[in-house]
Amino acid sequence: MERIRLGNTVFEGLNNAYLLPGDRPTLVDAGVATDSVRRDLREGLDAAGYGVADLDAIVLTHWHADHAGLAGELQAESGAPVYVHADDAGIVAGDPDAVAAERSIRERRFDEWRIPDEPLAEVTAFLDGHDDLRGDRVDVTPVEDGDRIAAGDGELEVVHLPGHAAGLSAFAFDGEPGAGREAFVGDAILPKYTPNVGGADLRVDRPLETYLDSLARLAALDFERAWPGHRDPISDPAGRARVIAEHHRERTERVVSVLDDHGPADAWTVSARLFGDLEAIHILHGPGEAFAHLDHLVAEGVVAPPDDGGRYELLDADPDFDELVAVPETKR
């Protein structure tokens, strides 16, 4: 397996694509559709002794442009099928109804979160100005949890881990003999940052609970190693999943504290207390993260549903946070 490091100046940077050589050369994730990333990917393939035309399959962990943007043009050149979970297939394919539905949800959430006019204009311009980064339309082959895809000299097993994105999936495989199972995990877990929930994919219902369930599943699978969509490999994926869950437990405490100190507040106000001033894509991710936690607290009866002004009122200032946010046990 070859890791191909891709630049990315638009989003979080330091993307990875992975090449599985062998009888069925397979690329996992494709990078964002910019000239510099296109060059990085082609040079990486060339260094491994392959060209785009050699690809027999392309596998995408999720729909975000920095993972799927180049898939269409790679498919056009190679003829390779592009596999992605069914929940993300419509957006990756560029289906107008799927794209319009995602945009409609975005507009509704921005209104519910009470994002002020100036940052609203900024984030809207950012998102609309980067539509081209999704690249060409793709003829998608949808997959589901548990499906197996022939790849390289072996196969990849689809492990659906929604939260950061509705269709986000890891692809598990056998490592070196005696090394146990490993997985390409996209942005399910990352070695440095905590993947955004709530803002990264507005289609996800109960985003925090959904993501916590995925962290628990990933921890239980106890992979020997994870290959993330950004930065370096993760040597203890279950331990990293636990750390991220603990982070969300602490953030849940902070959200409760904000409401206790401030009184009823909308998602934008809570976000400002958590993260301060935001710009570009983070104007989406900040209140989205606040919303994910507020939504979870509403479902658990700790916070009242938002009123007509989008404000959430604290009902219980001293909840059991261990029950609110379960941190998975690990075997190591």
Side-chain angles (χ1 to χ4, degrees):
M1 185 262 289
E2 300 287 340
R3 175 165 65 128
I4 301 174
R5 302 187 189 200
L6 307 175
N8 176 2
T9 60
V10 181
F11 298 111
E12 296 298 337
L14 301 176
N15 276 80
N16 296 314
Y18 300 95
L19 174 69
L20 295 173
D23 291 337
R24 187 172 167 80
T26 298
L27 186 71
V28 179
D29 280 348
V32 70
T34 64
D35 287 342
S36 62
V37 173
R38 186 178 290 112
R39 182 170 56 253
D40 289 343
L41 181 59
R42 291 177 180 274
E43 289 177 354
L45 289 171
D46 183 68
Y50 289 83
V52 171
D54 297 319
L55 295 175
D56 280 346
I58 299 166
V59 176
L60 303 178
T61 58
H62 59 299
W63 66 271
H64 291 157
D66 54 336
H67 297 263
L70 289 173
E73 66 184 75
L74 296 177
Q75 181 181 58
E77 186 171 340
S78 66
V82 174
Y83 299 97
V84 69
H85 190 275
D87 287 347
D88 284 0
I91 294 181
V92 172
D95 176 73
D97 290 341
V99 173
E102 191 273 336
R103 183 181 292 269
S104 176
I105 296 170
R106 180 205 306 173
E107 292 171 353
R108 174 165 57 85
R109 289 295 188 211
F110 284 0
D111 180 62
E112 292 171 351
W113 298 345
R114 300 302 194 266
I115 301 178
D117 289 345
E118 187 172 339
L120 177 61
E122 180 181 346
V123 71
T124 300
F126 178 90
L127 294 169
D128 291 346
H130 291 89
D131 275 346
D132 59 325
L133 300 182
R134 294 185 179 183
D136 299 339
R137 295 183 66 170
V138 184
D139 182 9
V140 170
T141 300
V143 294
E144 300 280 359
D145 186 66
D147 286 351
R148 294 178 181 271
I149 302 167
D153 289 326
E155 63 179 14
L156 298 173
E157 178 185 1
V158 181
V159 182
H160 188 208
L161 298 171
H164 177 72
L168 196 149
S169 297
F171 295 94
F173 61 96
D174 291 327
E176 297 297 325
R181 296 280 276 175
E182 302 183 16
F184 302 108
V185 297
D187 292 355
I189 55 173
L190 296 173
K192 182 175 181 180
Y193 297 111
T194 300
N196 181 262
V197 291
D201 190 341
L202 302 172
R203 304 171 304 150
V204 180
D205 290 329
R206 296 293 308 277
L208 181 58
E209 180 182 37
T210 299
Y211 184 53
L212 292 171
D213 287 346
S214 291
L215 290 176
R217 184 184 187 194
L218 195 153
L221 288 168
D222 198 30
F223 293 118
E224 287 294 322
R225 183 181 303 170
W227 300 89
H230 301 265
R231 299 181 181 269
D232 294 326
I234 300 169
S235 60
D236 179 11
R240 182 60 184 158
R242 180 181 177 86
V243 168
I244 293 172
E246 289 173 341
H247 164 87
H248 281 291
R249 183 191 184 283
E250 293 168 1
R251 179 155 290 166
T252 301
E253 290 188 45
R254 290 186 63 199
V255 170
V256 168
S257 179
V258 168
L259 293 178
D260 193 28
D261 292 342
H262 181 278
D266 55 39
W268 177 258
T269 299
V270 173
S271 170
R273 293 296 185 95
L274 294 175
F275 308 117
D277 293 335
L278 300 171
E279 60 182 18
I281 191 67
H282 300 290
I283 298 171
L284 166 63
H285 288 171
E289 186 87 22
F291 164 75
H293 286 264
L294 290 164
D295 173 72
H296 186 62
L297 290 167
V298 168
E300 297 297 323
V302 177
V303 168
D307 62 18
D308 291 343
R311 294 179 294 269
Y312 295 81
E313 181 179 359
L314 184 63
L315 301 177
D316 181 359
D318 189 27
D320 186 333
F321 291 102
D322 290 332
E323 288 190 3
L324 285 175
V325 179
V327 175
E329 297 294 331
T330 57
K331 300 175 183 178
R332 304 186 192 185

